[in-house]
Amino acid sequence: MAAGLFEKVLIANRGEIALRIHRACREMGIHTVAVHSTADADAMHVRLADESVCIGPPSARESYLNIPAILSAATITGADAIHPGIGFLAENAQFAEMVEEHGFTFIGPTPEHIRMMGDKVVAKKTVLELGLPVVPGSDGAITSFEEAEAVARQIGYPILIKAAAGGGGRGMKVARNPESLRDAYQLARGEARAAFGNDEVYMERYLVRPRHIEIQLLADSHGNVVHFGERDCSIQRRHQKVIEEAPSPALNASQRDSIGRLAADTVRQFGYRGVGTMEFLFEDGQFFFIEMNTRLQVEHTISEMITGIDLVREQIRVATGAPLGYDQSDIRIQGHSIECRINAEHPETFAPSPGRIDGYHAPGGLGIRVDSALYDGYRVPSHYDSLIAKLVVHGASRNECLMRLRRALEEFVIGGIETTIPLHNRLIVQRDFINGDYDIHWLENLLAGKR
Ligand code: ADP
């Protein structure tokens, strides 16, 4: 689509992220179309959208992943563009292609870039050639156990076997010594095949105490790229993020500036467009690229809080072909922000806890943002991701942010189901967390009683 804003955007997602996108659209004067499964007929994103279309039964495969149903919904409602949100079809290159073939704008990068970064072997090779440091590992995919043995000898133990099509921490296995390599290799391939229908794996040195640092990028279709600094997402369980903060307590200004610039230069070189995130592991002052996500991320919120820029709005703007209209020097980082991901799960066993919300009160006040599609009486369905709310806090300093987070969690009431609020209450008062002294294994160690 040429210049000029969209009139109507179809949001091909659900839950808090569908609401997040709806909000950006409304503030831009854009009409929204919600799609939903039969399990989500009463969902907040459906209630708030200008129009809604039921696209299938509860199973995601038959609804939020049902490409023909989504394209039909866009056709009958006369949408100009489709926003894929996060998860579901957001990193599906074929979907992006079909959206464009049907005459809609895909609010995201080109299918080629989604495909390139979706294959982590190709992604690593590409950025390495463009000058980014990557985790030492195999040159490409590993095709036999013998090859795995040879590569492991070369890079040294412990090693990590990862799925080329990986995501969500699945298809990832550690081998600590030659004896455990065969099991790890076979388990990783099996898990990758089951999760992604593709058992291609590759190998990396397993870093023992890195932090997860990622750079938020935004590119228009005219070659302008800016970064929004980093997010520290080291508080993880099963390779999945639980708490994120920006800026990272581990980086100084010059490290921030240099990794941000490097990441922005890299995507500029391959002509990327849209929002995207380059993920790195950071250990002993060195950065190692692990992957790039070609979409909005759950934790984009904290970058918004410290820069004052609405990333979804920017994402929609660049999708229309509009130039950024500002450069790196206009992006200023102010204060500190932390996000807690609140899941419908038991805070100790992590067993899913869907069900009816009985009593809901979200915290408020200066510097508090709650991104959630919950309301009193809402029934959290059992069919989808367990993320039900993001508590996002901003403060002038990290200390102010921590104190504000503490009182916001105290105020938050989500009744009727189990949530991970008690887990967050526990984490944020730990001395290591207060000191910003943690790596990607910190939370698992704490939960295992090793701390
Ligand atoms: P996914 O796409 O499945 O999320 P990533 O490559 O982004 O996989 O890795 C997810 C997490 O797994 C990282 O944030 C980190 O905690 C851990 N991880 C990935 N690669 C390594 C490595 N080489 N060494 C140690 N931990 C790693």
Side-chain angles (χ1 to χ4, degrees), residues 294-314:
T294 54
R295 54 166 169 82
L296 195 66
Q297 286 191 285
V298 170
E299 63 275 19
H300 74 278
T301 52
I302 55 175
S303 302
E304 294 183 324
M305 300 303 270
I306 59 165
T307 59
I309 294 176
D310 180 334
L311 285 167
V312 179
R313 181 190 190 99
E314 293 307 292

Side-chain angles (χ1 to χ4, degrees), residues 97-173:
E97 239 156 39
M98 289 176 76
V99 166
E100 299 275 339
E101 276 164 19
H102 283 75
F104 309 109
T105 299
F106 179 73
I107 301 179
T110 61
E112 293 71 33
H113 287 149
I114 298 176
R115 203 164 273 134
M116 175 167 109
M117 290 299 160
D119 183 329
K120 295 184 171 196
V121 170
V122 175
K124 267 185 92 172
K125 204 170 262 174
T126 306
V127 303
L128 182 65
E129 280 164 12
L130 294 175
L132 273 190
V134 302
V135 185
S138 56
D139 269 344
I142 298 284
T143 51
S144 69
F145 177 66
E146 289 65 39
E147 192 184 348
E149 273 184 312
V151 172
R153 258 196 307 277
Q154 221 172 31
I155 58 182
Y157 288 88
I159 60 116
L160 184 63
I161 304 171
K162 300 171 84 171
R170 282 168 306 174
M172 221 184 276
K173 294 286 167 226

Side-chain angles (χ1 to χ4, degrees), residues 120 160 162 167 169 204-205 207 212 236 239 279 291 440:
K120 295 184 171 196
L160 184 63
K162 300 171 84 171
E204 275 178 2
R205 181 185 298 152
L207 302 182
H212 174 117
Q236 299 183 356
H239 306 301
E279 299 192 334
E291 69 162 342
I440 61 165

